[in-house]
Amino acid sequence: MKILRQFLIILLYSFIGEALNFFLPLPIPASIYGMALLFLSLMIGWIRVQDILEAGRFLIEVMPVMFVPAGVGLMTSWGILKPMLLPVSVIIVVSLITVMAVSGLSSQWIVQHTRKKEEDLSDE
Amino acid sequence: MNDFLTVSAYAGVTISIFFYLFGMFLKKKFKFGFLNPLLLAILFTIVLLLLSGVDYDTYNTGAKYLSWLLTPATVCLAIPLYEQIQLLKDNYKAVLVGIISGVFTSLFTIFVLALLFGLDHQEYVTLLPKSVTTAIGMGISEELGGYVTITVAAIVITGVLGNIFGEMILKIFHIKEPIAKGIALGSAAHAIGTAKAIELGEIEGAMSSLSIAVSGILTVVGASIFGMFL
Protein backbone atom coordinates (compact mmCIF):
# COMPACT_ATOMS: atom_id res chain seq x y z
CA MET A 1 0.00 0.00 0.00
CA LYS A 2 2.98 2.26 0.60
CA ILE A 3 3.95 2.37 -3.08
CA LEU A 4 0.33 2.87 -4.08
CA ARG A 5 0.08 5.86 -1.74
CA GLN A 6 3.32 7.28 -3.14
CA PHE A 7 2.08 6.81 -6.70
CA LEU A 8 -1.17 8.55 -5.79
CA ILE A 9 0.71 11.63 -4.56
CA ILE A 10 2.78 11.75 -7.77
CA LEU A 11 -0.35 11.37 -9.92
CA LEU A 12 -2.05 14.08 -7.90
CA TYR A 13 0.73 16.54 -8.76
CA SER A 14 0.57 15.45 -12.40
CA PHE A 15 -3.16 16.11 -12.32
CA ILE A 16 -2.78 19.56 -10.74
CA GLY A 17 -0.16 20.31 -13.40
CA GLU A 18 -2.60 19.21 -16.07
CA ALA A 19 -5.27 21.51 -14.66
CA LEU A 20 -2.88 24.50 -14.59
CA ASN A 21 -1.83 23.75 -18.17
CA PHE A 22 -5.50 23.72 -19.15
CA PHE A 23 -6.59 26.87 -17.35
CA LEU A 24 -3.52 29.12 -17.66
CA PRO A 25 -2.82 30.56 -21.12
CA LEU A 26 0.92 29.73 -21.05
CA PRO A 27 2.73 27.16 -23.22
CA ILE A 28 4.06 25.39 -20.11
CA PRO A 29 3.35 21.66 -19.98
CA ALA A 30 1.64 19.82 -17.11
CA SER A 31 4.88 18.05 -16.19
CA ILE A 32 6.78 21.31 -15.56
CA TYR A 33 3.96 22.75 -13.42
CA GLY A 34 3.82 19.47 -11.49
CA MET A 35 7.58 19.36 -11.00
CA ALA A 36 7.71 22.98 -9.76
CA LEU A 37 4.79 22.43 -7.37
CA LEU A 38 6.20 19.18 -6.01
CA PHE A 39 9.55 20.89 -5.47
CA LEU A 40 7.84 23.76 -3.60
CA SER A 41 5.80 21.32 -1.50
CA LEU A 42 8.99 19.47 -0.53
CA MET A 43 10.65 22.77 0.39
CA ILE A 44 7.72 23.96 2.49
CA GLY A 45 7.39 20.53 4.10
CA TRP A 46 3.87 19.71 2.89
CA ILE A 47 5.29 16.54 1.41
CA ARG A 48 8.18 14.62 2.97
CA VAL A 49 10.61 13.13 0.50
CA GLN A 50 10.04 9.65 2.00
CA ASP A 51 6.34 9.98 1.07
CA ILE A 52 7.24 9.65 -2.63
CA LEU A 53 10.76 8.23 -2.64
CA GLU A 54 10.40 4.61 -3.82
CA ALA A 55 7.78 5.23 -6.50
CA GLY A 56 9.63 8.38 -7.59
CA ARG A 57 13.00 6.63 -7.83
CA PHE A 58 11.43 3.85 -9.88
CA LEU A 59 9.81 6.26 -12.35
CA ILE A 60 13.05 8.22 -12.77
CA GLU A 61 15.07 5.05 -13.22
CA VAL A 62 12.87 3.68 -16.02
CA MET A 63 12.39 7.08 -17.66
CA PRO A 64 14.60 6.42 -20.73
CA VAL A 65 12.28 3.58 -21.83
CA MET A 66 9.39 6.06 -21.93
CA PHE A 67 11.08 7.86 -24.83
CA VAL A 68 11.05 4.77 -27.07
CA PRO A 69 7.52 5.38 -28.49
CA ALA A 70 8.38 9.02 -29.34
CA GLY A 71 11.58 7.86 -31.02
CA VAL A 72 9.77 5.18 -33.00
CA GLY A 73 7.31 7.93 -34.02
CA LEU A 74 10.11 9.45 -36.10
CA MET A 75 9.31 6.81 -38.75
CA THR A 76 6.04 8.65 -39.43
CA SER A 77 7.66 12.09 -39.75
CA TRP A 78 10.27 10.89 -42.25
CA GLY A 79 8.17 12.11 -45.21
CA ILE A 80 7.84 15.64 -43.82
CA LEU A 81 11.44 15.78 -42.65
CA LYS A 82 13.00 14.65 -45.95
CA PRO A 83 12.81 17.96 -47.89
CA MET A 84 14.42 19.83 -44.95
CA LEU A 85 16.83 17.07 -44.02
CA LEU A 86 20.16 18.87 -44.58
CA PRO A 87 19.41 22.14 -42.72
CA VAL A 88 17.61 20.26 -39.93
CA SER A 89 20.48 17.80 -39.40
CA VAL A 90 23.16 20.49 -39.44
CA ILE A 91 21.19 22.74 -37.08
CA ILE A 92 20.53 19.86 -34.67
CA VAL A 93 24.16 18.72 -34.52
CA VAL A 94 25.78 22.17 -34.42
CA SER A 95 23.44 23.60 -31.80
CA LEU A 96 23.70 20.46 -29.63
CA ILE A 97 27.49 20.84 -29.52
CA THR A 98 27.60 24.64 -29.09
CA VAL A 99 24.90 24.71 -26.40
CA MET A 100 26.60 21.96 -24.40
CA ALA A 101 29.99 23.64 -24.72
CA VAL A 102 28.83 27.18 -23.85
CA SER A 103 26.49 26.30 -20.97
CA GLY A 104 28.86 23.65 -19.55
CA LEU A 105 32.01 25.72 -19.78
CA SER A 106 30.44 28.94 -18.45
CA SER A 107 28.95 27.25 -15.39
CA GLN A 108 32.13 25.23 -14.84
CA TRP A 109 34.19 28.43 -14.93
CA ILE A 110 32.01 30.03 -12.25
CA VAL A 111 32.00 26.90 -10.05
CA GLN A 112 35.80 26.70 -10.14
CA HIS A 113 36.23 30.45 -9.76
CA THR A 114 33.97 30.58 -6.68
CA ARG A 115 35.74 27.59 -5.16
CA LYS A 116 39.14 29.23 -5.70
CA LYS A 117 37.93 32.42 -4.07
CA GLU A 118 36.68 30.47 -1.05
CA GLU A 119 39.99 28.64 -0.78
CA ASP A 120 41.90 31.94 -0.94
CA LEU A 121 39.69 33.32 1.81
CA SER A 122 40.22 30.34 4.05
CA ASP A 123 43.98 30.55 3.51
CA GLU A 124 44.11 34.05 4.95
CA MET B 1 -1.89 -11.17 -37.27
CA ASN B 2 -2.10 -7.45 -37.89
CA ASP B 3 -5.72 -7.56 -36.72
CA PHE B 4 -4.67 -9.04 -33.43
CA LEU B 5 -1.79 -6.58 -32.98
CA THR B 6 -4.19 -3.69 -33.66
CA VAL B 7 -6.28 -4.61 -30.65
CA SER B 8 -3.39 -5.81 -28.47
CA ALA B 9 -2.87 -3.53 -25.49
CA TYR B 10 0.41 -5.19 -24.51
CA ALA B 11 2.36 -5.72 -27.76
CA GLY B 12 3.76 -2.16 -28.03
CA VAL B 13 4.87 -1.90 -24.41
CA THR B 14 6.33 -5.40 -24.39
CA ILE B 15 8.34 -4.85 -27.58
CA SER B 16 9.65 -1.46 -26.38
CA ILE B 17 10.78 -2.71 -22.97
CA PHE B 18 12.18 -5.95 -24.40
CA PHE B 19 14.31 -4.09 -26.97
CA TYR B 20 15.46 -1.56 -24.37
CA LEU B 21 16.68 -4.32 -22.07
CA PHE B 22 18.21 -6.12 -25.06
CA GLY B 23 20.02 -2.84 -25.84
CA MET B 24 21.30 -2.71 -22.24
CA PHE B 25 22.53 -6.28 -22.62
CA LEU B 26 24.39 -5.46 -25.87
CA LYS B 27 25.92 -2.36 -24.30
CA LYS B 28 27.23 -4.36 -21.33
CA LYS B 29 28.46 -7.19 -23.52
CA PHE B 30 30.30 -5.12 -26.15
CA LYS B 31 31.06 -1.96 -24.16
CA PHE B 32 30.87 0.44 -27.14
CA GLY B 33 29.79 3.96 -26.24
CA PHE B 34 27.55 4.29 -29.28
CA LEU B 35 25.58 1.18 -28.29
CA ASN B 36 22.98 3.31 -26.57
CA PRO B 37 20.01 1.28 -25.24
CA LEU B 38 17.50 4.01 -26.16
CA LEU B 39 18.81 4.29 -29.73
CA LEU B 40 18.96 0.50 -30.12
CA ALA B 41 15.41 0.08 -28.78
CA ILE B 42 14.11 2.72 -31.23
CA LEU B 43 15.98 1.20 -34.21
CA PHE B 44 15.03 -2.41 -33.44
CA THR B 45 11.39 -1.46 -32.96
CA ILE B 46 11.28 0.51 -36.23
CA VAL B 47 12.91 -2.38 -38.10
CA LEU B 48 10.48 -4.88 -36.57
CA LEU B 49 7.48 -2.70 -37.49
CA LEU B 50 8.73 -2.23 -41.06
CA LEU B 51 9.45 -5.96 -41.50
CA SER B 52 6.10 -7.04 -40.10
CA GLY B 53 4.17 -4.29 -41.90
CA VAL B 54 2.60 -3.04 -38.66
CA ASP B 55 2.06 0.73 -38.75
CA TYR B 56 2.99 3.19 -36.02
CA ASP B 57 -0.56 3.86 -34.80
CA THR B 58 -1.04 0.14 -34.26
CA TYR B 59 2.19 -0.12 -32.29
CA ASN B 60 1.20 2.96 -30.32
CA THR B 61 -2.14 1.54 -29.12
CA GLY B 62 -0.06 -0.26 -26.49
CA ALA B 63 3.11 1.85 -26.43
CA LYS B 64 1.22 5.04 -25.56
CA TYR B 65 1.00 3.83 -21.97
CA LEU B 66 4.77 4.23 -21.75
CA SER B 67 4.48 7.83 -22.96
CA TRP B 68 1.64 8.29 -20.46
CA LEU B 69 4.14 7.71 -17.64
CA LEU B 70 6.37 10.57 -18.85
CA THR B 71 4.44 13.30 -17.06
CA PRO B 72 4.54 11.65 -13.60
CA ALA B 73 8.22 10.73 -14.17
CA THR B 74 9.08 14.33 -15.05
CA VAL B 75 7.17 15.54 -11.98
CA CYS B 76 9.42 13.24 -9.91
CA LEU B 77 12.52 15.06 -11.14
CA ALA B 78 11.67 17.43 -8.26
CA ILE B 79 13.10 14.74 -5.94
CA PRO B 80 16.77 14.86 -7.05
CA LEU B 81 16.44 18.63 -7.22
CA TYR B 82 15.20 18.77 -3.62
CA GLU B 83 17.95 16.43 -2.47
CA GLN B 84 20.58 18.74 -3.98
CA ILE B 85 19.05 21.98 -2.71
CA GLN B 86 22.10 22.97 -0.66
CA LEU B 87 24.38 22.54 -3.66
CA LEU B 88 21.94 24.57 -5.73
CA LYS B 89 21.93 27.41 -3.21
CA ASP B 90 25.73 27.42 -3.03
CA ASN B 91 26.10 27.52 -6.80
CA TYR B 92 23.06 29.45 -7.97
CA LYS B 93 25.20 31.86 -10.01
CA ALA B 94 26.92 29.09 -11.96
CA VAL B 95 23.57 27.38 -12.51
CA LEU B 96 21.79 30.51 -13.76
CA VAL B 97 24.63 31.70 -15.98
CA GLY B 98 24.99 28.20 -17.48
CA ILE B 99 21.29 27.86 -18.30
CA ILE B 100 20.84 31.42 -19.60
CA SER B 101 23.91 31.22 -21.81
CA GLY B 102 22.71 27.83 -23.07
CA VAL B 103 19.30 29.21 -24.05
CA PHE B 104 20.87 32.20 -25.79
CA THR B 105 23.42 30.04 -27.61
CA SER B 106 20.69 27.72 -28.85
CA LEU B 107 18.53 30.53 -30.24
CA PHE B 108 21.52 32.42 -31.68
CA THR B 109 23.07 29.35 -33.37
CA ILE B 110 19.75 28.43 -34.95
CA PHE B 111 19.27 32.03 -36.14
CA VAL B 112 22.74 32.15 -37.78
CA LEU B 113 22.36 28.72 -39.41
CA ALA B 114 18.86 29.60 -40.64
CA LEU B 115 20.37 32.67 -42.35
CA LEU B 116 23.13 30.53 -43.88
CA PHE B 117 20.66 27.96 -45.21
CA GLY B 118 18.26 30.67 -46.37
CA LEU B 119 15.33 29.20 -44.40
CA ASP B 120 12.02 31.07 -44.55
CA HIS B 121 10.25 32.35 -41.42
CA GLN B 122 8.08 29.27 -40.99
CA GLU B 123 11.04 26.86 -41.25
CA TYR B 124 13.07 29.05 -38.89
CA VAL B 125 10.47 29.18 -36.10
CA THR B 126 9.94 25.43 -36.53
CA LEU B 127 13.51 24.83 -35.38
CA LEU B 128 13.90 27.65 -32.81
CA PRO B 129 12.50 25.65 -29.85
CA LYS B 130 14.34 22.40 -30.69
CA SER B 131 16.50 22.27 -27.54
CA VAL B 132 13.65 22.29 -25.02
CA THR B 133 11.36 19.57 -23.74
CA THR B 134 8.76 18.34 -26.26
CA ALA B 135 5.63 19.76 -24.66
CA ILE B 136 7.08 23.28 -24.31
CA GLY B 137 8.71 23.16 -27.76
CA MET B 138 5.46 22.10 -29.44
CA GLY B 139 3.64 24.99 -27.77
CA ILE B 140 6.23 27.53 -28.94
CA SER B 141 6.28 26.20 -32.51
CA GLU B 142 2.49 26.32 -32.68
CA GLU B 143 2.38 29.83 -31.22
CA LEU B 144 4.96 31.16 -33.72
CA GLY B 145 3.40 29.34 -36.68
CA GLY B 146 5.97 26.59 -37.31
CA TYR B 147 5.54 23.02 -38.61
CA VAL B 148 4.80 21.33 -35.27
CA THR B 149 5.50 17.77 -36.50
CA ILE B 150 9.01 18.74 -37.64
CA THR B 151 9.61 20.55 -34.34
CA VAL B 152 8.74 17.38 -32.44
CA ALA B 153 11.01 15.28 -34.67
CA ALA B 154 13.90 17.77 -34.22
CA ILE B 155 13.38 17.80 -30.44
CA VAL B 156 13.39 14.00 -30.18
CA ILE B 157 16.45 13.65 -32.46
CA THR B 158 18.30 16.33 -30.44
CA GLY B 159 17.51 14.51 -27.20
CA VAL B 160 18.53 11.10 -28.50
CA LEU B 161 21.80 12.47 -29.95
CA GLY B 162 22.47 14.26 -26.65
CA ASN B 163 21.84 11.02 -24.80
CA ILE B 164 24.25 9.11 -27.07
CA PHE B 165 27.05 11.63 -27.65
CA GLY B 166 26.64 13.84 -24.56
CA GLU B 167 29.36 12.14 -22.55
CA MET B 168 31.76 12.40 -25.50
CA ILE B 169 31.04 16.11 -26.05
CA LEU B 170 31.58 16.78 -22.32
CA LYS B 171 34.96 15.05 -22.54
CA ILE B 172 36.05 16.95 -25.67
CA PHE B 173 35.38 20.31 -23.98
CA HIS B 174 36.92 19.19 -20.66
CA ILE B 175 33.67 19.77 -18.78
CA LYS B 176 34.35 17.84 -15.57
CA GLU B 177 32.36 19.59 -12.81
CA PRO B 178 29.21 17.54 -12.07
CA ILE B 179 27.14 20.74 -11.87
CA ALA B 180 28.34 21.90 -15.29
CA LYS B 181 27.82 18.45 -16.83
CA GLY B 182 24.20 18.37 -15.68
CA ILE B 183 23.47 21.87 -16.91
CA ALA B 184 25.04 21.19 -20.31
CA LEU B 185 23.00 18.00 -20.81
CA GLY B 186 19.71 19.48 -19.60
CA SER B 187 20.05 22.75 -21.52
CA ALA B 188 21.05 21.10 -24.79
CA ALA B 189 19.08 17.86 -24.75
CA HIS B 190 16.16 18.37 -22.30
CA ALA B 191 14.55 15.29 -20.67
CA ILE B 192 16.24 12.67 -22.88
CA GLY B 193 19.63 14.22 -22.07
CA THR B 194 18.61 14.28 -18.41
CA ALA B 195 18.12 10.51 -18.52
CA LYS B 196 21.84 10.32 -19.36
CA ALA B 197 22.72 12.90 -16.67
CA ILE B 198 20.94 10.76 -14.05
CA GLU B 199 23.15 7.81 -15.09
CA LEU B 200 26.25 9.97 -14.60
CA GLY B 201 25.39 10.88 -11.00
CA GLU B 202 22.97 12.46 -8.53
CA ILE B 203 24.30 16.01 -8.90
CA GLU B 204 24.32 15.79 -12.70
CA GLY B 205 20.74 14.48 -12.66
CA ALA B 206 19.47 17.21 -10.34
CA MET B 207 21.09 20.04 -12.28
CA SER B 208 19.89 18.64 -15.58
CA SER B 209 16.31 18.37 -14.24
CA LEU B 210 16.40 22.00 -13.20
CA SER B 211 17.76 23.01 -16.62
CA ILE B 212 14.79 21.40 -18.41
CA ALA B 213 12.33 23.58 -16.53
CA VAL B 214 14.29 26.84 -16.47
CA SER B 215 15.59 26.69 -20.05
CA GLY B 216 12.14 25.65 -21.26
CA ILE B 217 10.50 28.67 -19.67
CA LEU B 218 13.25 31.08 -20.80
CA THR B 219 12.94 29.74 -24.35
CA VAL B 220 9.22 30.61 -24.37
CA VAL B 221 10.23 34.25 -24.00
CA GLY B 222 13.49 34.06 -26.00
CA ALA B 223 11.98 32.29 -29.00
CA SER B 224 9.22 34.86 -29.39
CA ILE B 225 11.88 37.61 -29.49
CA PHE B 226 14.20 35.70 -31.85
CA GLY B 227 11.19 34.80 -33.98
CA MET B 228 10.98 38.45 -35.04
CA PHE B 229 14.53 38.48 -36.46
CA LEU B 230 13.82 36.46 -39.60
Side-chain angles (χ1 to χ4, degrees), chain B residues 38 59 87 91-92 97 126 148 183 185 194 203 210-211 215:
Chain B
L38 176 61
Y59 157 80
L87 191 80
N91 293 285
Y92 74 97
V97 170
T126 296
V148 178
I183 288 171
L185 279 166
T194 300
I203 299 174
L210 180 69
S211 307
S215 70

mmCIF file of all heavy atoms in Angstrom, chain B residues 38 59 87 91-92 97 126 148 183 185 194 203 210-211 215:
data_model
loop_
_atom_site.group_PDB
_atom_site.id
_atom_site.type_symbol
_atom_site.label_atom_id
_atom_site.label_comp_id
_atom_site.label_asym_id
_atom_site.label_seq_id
_atom_site.Cartn_x
_atom_site.Cartn_y
_atom_site.Cartn_z
ATOM 1 N N LEU B 38 18.660 3.282 -25.626
ATOM 2 C CA LEU B 38 17.501 4.005 -26.158
ATOM 3 C C LEU B 38 17.518 3.973 -27.685
ATOM 4 O O LEU B 38 16.516 3.645 -28.330
ATOM 5 C CB LEU B 38 17.504 5.448 -25.644
ATOM 6 C CG LEU B 38 16.408 6.352 -26.190
ATOM 7 C CD1 LEU B 38 15.025 5.829 -25.831
ATOM 8 C CD2 LEU B 38 16.577 7.776 -25.656
ATOM 9 N N TYR B 59 1.188 0.065 -33.345
ATOM 10 C CA TYR B 59 2.190 -0.116 -32.287
ATOM 11 C C TYR B 59 1.853 0.763 -31.087
ATOM 12 O O TYR B 59 1.929 0.346 -29.939
ATOM 13 C CB TYR B 59 3.574 0.234 -32.849
ATOM 14 C CG TYR B 59 4.615 0.639 -31.831
ATOM 15 C CD1 TYR B 59 5.308 -0.323 -31.085
ATOM 16 C CD2 TYR B 59 4.908 1.984 -31.612
ATOM 17 C CE1 TYR B 59 6.264 0.058 -30.162
ATOM 18 C CE2 TYR B 59 5.866 2.366 -30.688
ATOM 19 C CZ TYR B 59 6.538 1.392 -29.962
ATOM 20 O OH TYR B 59 7.479 1.776 -29.040
ATOM 21 N N LEU B 87 23.433 22.339 -2.560
ATOM 22 C CA LEU B 87 24.382 22.540 -3.659
ATOM 23 C C LEU B 87 23.880 23.623 -4.617
ATOM 24 O O LEU B 87 24.641 24.458 -5.112
ATOM 25 C CB LEU B 87 24.533 21.219 -4.413
ATOM 26 C CG LEU B 87 25.662 21.155 -5.413
ATOM 27 C CD1 LEU B 87 26.968 20.901 -4.689
ATOM 28 C CD2 LEU B 87 25.396 20.070 -6.430
ATOM 29 N N ASN B 91 25.583 27.293 -5.443
ATOM 30 C CA ASN B 91 26.098 27.517 -6.801
ATOM 31 C C ASN B 91 25.076 28.175 -7.718
ATOM 32 O O ASN B 91 25.132 27.997 -8.925
ATOM 33 C CB ASN B 91 26.532 26.185 -7.416
ATOM 34 C CG ASN B 91 27.730 25.611 -6.713
ATOM 35 O OD1 ASN B 91 28.844 26.073 -6.888
ATOM 36 N ND2 ASN B 91 27.494 24.618 -5.869
ATOM 37 N N TYR B 92 24.142 28.949 -7.128
ATOM 38 C CA TYR B 92 23.058 29.455 -7.969
ATOM 39 C C TYR B 92 23.552 30.311 -9.127
ATOM 40 O O TYR B 92 22.976 30.300 -10.214
ATOM 41 C CB TYR B 92 22.025 30.218 -7.124
ATOM 42 C CG TYR B 92 22.482 31.575 -6.659
ATOM 43 C CD1 TYR B 92 22.113 32.719 -7.366
ATOM 44 C CD2 TYR B 92 23.276 31.726 -5.533
ATOM 45 C CE1 TYR B 92 22.547 33.971 -6.956
ATOM 46 C CE2 TYR B 92 23.705 32.955 -5.121
ATOM 47 C CZ TYR B 92 23.350 34.083 -5.833
ATOM 48 O OH TYR B 92 23.790 35.313 -5.439
ATOM 49 N N VAL B 97 23.834 31.271 -14.829
ATOM 50 C CA VAL B 97 24.634 31.697 -15.980
ATOM 51 C C VAL B 97 24.699 30.573 -17.017
ATOM 52 O O VAL B 97 24.520 30.809 -18.218
ATOM 53 C CB VAL B 97 26.055 32.118 -15.536
ATOM 54 C CG1 VAL B 97 26.953 32.319 -16.742
ATOM 55 C CG2 VAL B 97 25.988 33.388 -14.709
ATOM 56 N N THR B 126 10.123 26.862 -36.779
ATOM 57 C CA THR B 126 9.940 25.435 -36.530
ATOM 58 C C THR B 126 11.096 24.894 -35.693
ATOM 59 O O THR B 126 10.914 24.088 -34.785
ATOM 60 C CB THR B 126 9.871 24.665 -37.868
ATOM 61 O OG1 THR B 126 8.719 25.093 -38.570
ATOM 62 C CG2 THR B 126 9.810 23.168 -37.647
ATOM 63 N N VAL B 148 4.664 21.969 -36.590
ATOM 64 C CA VAL B 148 4.803 21.330 -35.270
ATOM 65 C C VAL B 148 5.399 19.913 -35.359
ATOM 66 O O VAL B 148 6.237 19.538 -34.543
ATOM 67 C CB VAL B 148 3.449 21.326 -34.525
ATOM 68 C CG1 VAL B 148 3.576 20.632 -33.190
ATOM 69 C CG2 VAL B 148 2.959 22.760 -34.319
ATOM 70 N N ILE B 183 24.067 20.721 -16.244
ATOM 71 C CA ILE B 183 23.469 21.874 -16.912
ATOM 72 C C ILE B 183 23.637 21.770 -18.423
ATOM 73 O O ILE B 183 22.705 22.047 -19.183
ATOM 74 C CB ILE B 183 24.080 23.173 -16.356
ATOM 75 C CG1 ILE B 183 23.537 23.377 -14.948
ATOM 76 C CG2 ILE B 183 23.741 24.364 -17.237
ATOM 77 C CD1 ILE B 183 24.184 24.467 -14.186
ATOM 78 N N LEU B 185 23.904 19.031 -20.264
ATOM 79 C CA LEU B 185 23.004 17.998 -20.805
ATOM 80 C C LEU B 185 21.547 18.451 -20.801
ATOM 81 O O LEU B 185 20.829 18.274 -21.774
ATOM 82 C CB LEU B 185 23.151 16.697 -20.012
ATOM 83 C CG LEU B 185 24.344 15.827 -20.403
ATOM 84 C CD1 LEU B 185 24.594 14.752 -19.351
ATOM 85 C CD2 LEU B 185 24.111 15.168 -21.763
ATOM 86 N N THR B 194 18.637 14.426 -19.871
ATOM 87 C CA THR B 194 18.606 14.281 -18.414
ATOM 88 C C THR B 194 18.665 12.814 -17.997
ATOM 89 O O THR B 194 19.275 12.475 -16.982
ATOM 90 C CB THR B 194 17.346 14.963 -17.846
ATOM 91 O OG1 THR B 194 17.396 16.342 -18.198
ATOM 92 C CG2 THR B 194 17.257 14.826 -16.342
ATOM 93 N N ILE B 203 24.189 14.569 -8.676
ATOM 94 C CA ILE B 203 24.305 16.015 -8.903
ATOM 95 C C ILE B 203 23.982 16.339 -10.355
ATOM 96 O O ILE B 203 23.189 17.244 -10.649
ATOM 97 C CB ILE B 203 25.719 16.509 -8.539
ATOM 98 C CG1 ILE B 203 25.995 16.252 -7.061
ATOM 99 C CG2 ILE B 203 25.883 17.978 -8.878
ATOM 100 C CD1 ILE B 203 27.408 16.561 -6.628
ATOM 101 N N LEU B 210 16.700 20.576 -13.364
ATOM 102 C CA LEU B 210 16.399 21.997 -13.201
ATOM 103 C C LEU B 210 16.508 22.717 -14.547
ATOM 104 O O LEU B 210 15.676 23.568 -14.881
ATOM 105 C CB LEU B 210 17.378 22.609 -12.191
ATOM 106 C CG LEU B 210 17.187 24.092 -11.931
ATOM 107 C CD1 LEU B 210 15.891 24.330 -11.178
ATOM 108 C CD2 LEU B 210 18.354 24.662 -11.147
ATOM 109 N N SER B 211 17.546 22.357 -15.322
ATOM 110 C CA SER B 211 17.760 23.009 -16.617
ATOM 111 C C SER B 211 16.576 22.820 -17.564
ATOM 112 O O SER B 211 16.246 23.729 -18.315
ATOM 113 C CB SER B 211 19.011 22.463 -17.293
ATOM 114 O OG SER B 211 20.105 22.553 -16.438
ATOM 115 N N SER B 215 15.301 26.342 -18.661
ATOM 116 C CA SER B 215 15.594 26.686 -20.051
ATOM 117 C C SER B 215 14.315 26.639 -20.884
ATOM 118 O O SER B 215 14.133 27.431 -21.801
ATOM 119 C CB SER B 215 16.670 25.774 -20.641
ATOM 120 O OG SER B 215 16.165 24.490 -20.823
#
